Amino acid sequence: MTRVLSEAVEAGELAIEIPETIIIERPKNREHGDWASTVALQLAKKAGMAPRQLAELLAARLREADGVAAVDIAGPGFINITLDAAAAGELARTIVETGDGFGHNEALAGHVINMEFVSANPTGPLHLGHTRWAALGDALARLLRASGADVTSEYYINDAGNQMNVFASSVLARVHGEDVPEGGYPGEYTRELAEEALAARADLRDLPREDALPVVRELAYQAQLGQIKDTLAEFGVHFDVYYSEQSLHDEGRIAAAVDTLRAQGHIEDRDGAVWLRTTDFGDDKDRVLFKADGEPTYFAADAAYYLSKRERGFEEKIYLLGADHHGYVARLKAIAACAGDDPERNIEILIGQLMSVKGAKLSKRAGNIIELADLISWLGADALRYTLARYPADSPIDIDPELLRSKSNDNPVFYVQYAHARACAAARNAVEAGVGRDGFDASLLTHATEEELLAHLGRFPSVVARAAEMREPHRVARHLETVAAAYHSWYATCRMVPRAGEEITDTNRTRLWLNDATVQVLRNGLALLGVSAPERM
């Protein structure tokens, strides 16, 4: 349909450049047709005419296109297009032939994005607070890629600073069979890390403590980071880059960042310390980069890390932060501005709200936190990921485990997965009954439930594009539920397999294609959310 609209613009002999993206969507109200476009409003100014006048011109061209049954103009220039039955039904074949690529689009082609999320300290297991961003961040990365963006997902490892020394001291105490020092990391996991360290270095207990501490620090750090990666993999989350904070120090990037920011004119030496004047760009106070004793601050590492992304060619940087990080928004945008970037274009900060799980048990192993690994074992990765992707990031979530574990239509993830499994079973049954996939005739898909299902299947690419542009994976989840509902309604009304004694017709064969198209859209949508699409349930 986008191609038809582009041809209509070109046929209108308008002295304007055809835009790369023409906005076209499935109208929510089916009475408004099969497709709706705001292209006349989009191009009216360039064409030098009123939107409705341009819409009338385009409508005249569209009415001449093959497969177009009617074109109506609404409001100031909205174009509503109704296809004939054959043209509308062709969508089923298009979806099946496109396969896993259906829903992919070029809305964000040319965007090069670094997206950082989770970034938990490597001093303990992943917990409830990391769960939401692991699910949302990974789903968003998938959506951005499906919309044409070049995305690098990144985990920033906070492996520098005193916290790592405290962590190492806690594990070393366990090596010697002692309690962790005051302010250290309790929990059985430090005992487990101590056992792993001893397995790697049997002489640890014999070393002087000052010699053993750096050894334990590295061994425990690598073991804990490995556990974090394993838990993320179990959750279906994989990062392209794990970026070490310590590397910023070791490679001299923090000092280099100060030199860069000084050259931009935003560094000030005051009271023996080195300051970045972030108040020039909306921060509530200036930030110290180097203290009077010459030690860099955490903020200095944040600045160097931002500049490293810039140097690595990422024009757009997306940060996904927790609800307790609102204070970071102004300072990160100020870093971008001080570096010479546009804080409205080059950096985007998404803040997620808190989540809770009714009846979740604290992990003694992890020191009285709720471990992500335990949540996965209890509720399942699919149920967790779908539920977390189903709500906007800025809305708090209170998860009901009983609902997530139930096999009922009240459980959204079960409802969508069951629709997929049901459609797969229906296809198997149809083939076993002798219904083949030859004899496709799109004009036979005329039942009201077929028109409704086709309309929702056709909206899928625009939903994906919009979800990526708005950074809202929940749009895909909610759309899948709409597709599932339309499928169940169609399945209850239209037969793929003829009744006993009846002949197999092209209607049965064509409906098998529509069934297969539904399978494909549900599978593609679930994949974008990082959720499996079972063929049997």
Side-chain angles (χ1 to χ4, degrees), residues 345-361:
R345 187 176 68 87
N346 298 117
I347 183 170
E348 184 176 356
I349 302 156
L350 305 178
I351 301 291
Q353 290 303 311
L354 298 174
M355 62 172 284
S356 60
V357 182
K358 296 177 183 177
K361 296 181 179 179

Side-chain angles (χ1 to χ4, degrees), residues 67-84:
V68 174
V71 182
D72 298 310
I73 310 301
F78 299 107
I79 301 175
N80 295 323
I81 305 164
T82 301
L83 305 179
D84 61 36

Side-chain angles (χ1 to χ4, degrees), residues 39 73 87 97 102 112 186 191 207 213 234 238 261 267 292 333 349 358 389 430 436 461 465 469 471 519 531:
V39 65
I73 310 301
E97 292 178 347
F102 186 74
V112 180
R191 199 183 308 276
L207 295 177
L213 192 63
E234 190 177 358
H238 302 273
L261 293 169
I267 293 288
K333 283 187 172 290
I349 302 156
K358 296 177 183 177
E469 290 170 350
R471 318 305 194 223
V519 168
V531 178

